Structure formats: C-alpha cells, structure tokens
Amino acid sequence: AQTVTQSQPEMSVQEAETVTLSCTYDTSESDYYLFWYKQPPSRQMILVIRQEAYKQQNATENRFSVNFQKAAKSFSLKISDSQLGDAAMYFCAYRSARGSQGNLIFGKGTKLSVKP
Amino acid sequence: EAGVAQSPRYKIIEKRQSVAFWCNPISGHATLYWYQQILGQGPKLLIQFQNNGVVDDSQLPKDRFSAERLKGVDSTLKIQPAKLEDSAVYLCASSRLAGVYNEQFFGPGTRLTVL
C-alpha cells in the first residue's frame, strides 16, 4: 500500500522569505502523480501544484515549485516570497496513474505560519 | 463557475443518532468523491462515484455509512448510527472525469461533532 509522510507538523516563515515543506512517500508503482494541496481555515482544499512521476523536470507554478527526487521518493514544496495569504495547512498527496480510481492518499499535513 | 456546494457546514449530534450530509458537485462533473478528514490527519477517501455508479467504496464502513448519488448529480452521505470516532470533517469533491489528469475540486466540508 502507498503511504505519504510529512515529517514537519508545523513550519514558520517570515513574510517575503522562502520556505520548504518536506514530503516522502512509499510506493512500488512506477507511474503516479504527486500533489500539494493548500487548506486554509475555510477548509476548502485547493490544488497548489502537481508533478507527474514520468517527468524529470520539476513543476513550477508562480511562487511555488517542487523538488521531485524519484529515486529517493521525496517531493518537497518550495514557497518563494512568502505572503500572509500563504498561511494554511499544506498536504502532500499521491495518486496512482493506473485505472479510474481517484484515491488521493494524503499525508498528515504541515501547518505553515507566515510572520509579518 | 460555481464550486462544489456542501451542507450543512456544521452538525452536532449525540452518539447513536443519525446524520446526513449533502453535496452538489460542479455542473458537468461526472465523478464525485466523499472524503473523511479526522482532526490532525489528511483526508481519506470513503467513496467514489462515476455518474450514479460506485467506483470505489473499499474504505466505507458499510455497517453504518451509506451514500447515494441519484441521477448522477447531487449526493448524500449518511451515518446511522453515529459513533464518537465519526467526529471529523466530511469533504466532497468532484472532477470532470475519473482519470488522474482530471483535477479534483473540493467543497468547504461539513464538520461533524459526535457527543
């Protein structure tokens, strides 16, 4: 069974600085997708960025980028120029690319605080 | 485009009572998911529908949980009878299709407290 581990329950960053959130996963599959979701206090999960395992190039979305190390099964999220609105819970998630089952497997999350 | 709607936002019940949650997915989305998010954990899939058929309910506690998606649009999730450990946020999500290329859009969730 696939598992996702986020070892940092809480992180803090100064506004305008850079922070990296860690995520490791375990799978025997070769074809899968990885995601970072943001969950603000409103509880609505928002997709931040996703990475296809077959792509070597790291995904980037504006201030958000990932460091995907497939051999190490590591998938970290870097937030540059942190803003107050980035404060939220961040969840790393895994999904198999096989079949139509949409089971996203989530980690326990990292609570990010942004200090003004 | 309207997002995924859920109601109620909050519900407090006593153990052994019944409760139902409602979800209205984004228009045109064929796939609907219900997740359970216990405090301090990530969401866990309970059930996935494709139109009005069940694709995956392997993690649904079928002795007390049931879900339906009549006419392939709205969905209801029911718990009967509720236990203390059912206290959680219940998230509904929808996607255009079931494949991994299709982003899942989440609703605001229903926070259930079982006393």
Side-chain angles (χ1 to χ4, degrees):
Chain A
Q2 296 83 17
T3 59
V4 176
T5 302
Q6 294 179 249
S7 58
Q8 306 155 315
E10 295 188 27
M11 292 283 285
S12 181
V13 64
Q14 204 72 31
E15 193 176 6
E17 295 190 344
T18 296
V19 64
T20 299
L21 308 184
S22 300
C23 172
T24 59
Y25 60 95
D26 189 27
T27 183
S28 58
E29 298 179 328
S30 59
D31 196 10
Y32 51 87
Y33 282 61
L34 296 165
F35 305 83
W36 278 98
Y37 280 88
K38 172 184 178 182
Q39 187 178 42
S42 67
R43 301 199 300 262
Q44 194 147 2
M45 300 281 280
I46 302 164
L47 178 63
V48 175
I49 197 167
R50 76 175 180 185
Q51 173 79 41
E52 295 91 333
Y54 65 86
K55 289 187 177 179
Q56 293 187 341
Q57 186 172 6
N58 289 324
T60 299
E61 289 287 342
N62 300 313
R63 299 183 294 107
F64 299 87
S65 61
V66 299
N67 184 4
F68 174 48
Q69 302 289 328
K70 190 172 184 179
K73 297 181 180 175
S74 171
F75 182 61
S76 61
L77 174 70
K78 186 172 81 171
I79 306 174
S80 303
D81 186 25
S82 297
Q83 300 176 359
L84 295 177
D86 295 334
M89 286 291 294
Y90 285 82
F91 291 93
C92 178
Y94 170 102
R95 183 176 175 181
S96 173
R98 293 187 304 167
S100 60
Q101 291 183 328
N103 193 6
L104 282 165
I105 300 170
F106 288 88
K108 290 188 174 183
T110 296
K111 183 177 181 180
L112 178 66
S113 302
V114 181
K115 298 178 181 178
Chain B
E1 176 178 71
V4 176
Q6 290 188 247
S7 67
R9 290 297 306 275
Y10 303 89
K11 189 74 176 178
I12 300 174
I13 62 172
E14 295 189 349
K15 60 183 179 183
R16 291 188 290 273
Q17 285 187 324
S18 301
V19 65
F21 313 127
W22 173 82
C23 173
N24 180 239
I26 294 173
S27 177
H29 280 196
T31 310
L32 186 146
Y33 313 82
W34 283 102
Y35 289 86
Q36 180 192 56
Q37 185 177 16
I38 293 173
L39 185 64
Q41 298 184 21
K44 180 186 79 171
L45 181 71
L46 292 176
I47 190 167
Q48 176 188 347
F49 290 96
Q50 180 70 18
N51 296 310
N52 60 352
V54 175
V55 174
D56 182 4
D57 64 356
S58 58
Q59 299 189 90
L60 186 74
K62 299 181 186 64
D63 57 333
R64 297 182 300 106
F65 286 65
S66 64
E68 61 182 8
R69 191 183 183 198
L70 298 176
K71 300 180 181 178
V73 182
D74 293 4
S75 177
T76 56
L77 177 69
K78 297 179 181 177
I79 307 175
Q80 178 180 8
K83 292 186 176 181
L84 296 177
E85 58 261 36
D86 298 332
S87 293
V89 173
Y90 291 84
L91 296 168
C92 179
S94 71
S95 61
R96 191 168 300 279
L97 294 170
V100 68
Y101 302 101
N102 295 273
E103 182 181 345
Q104 294 185 26
F105 294 86
F106 286 80
T110 297
R111 182 181 295 278
L112 173 67
T113 302
V114 182
L115 304 175

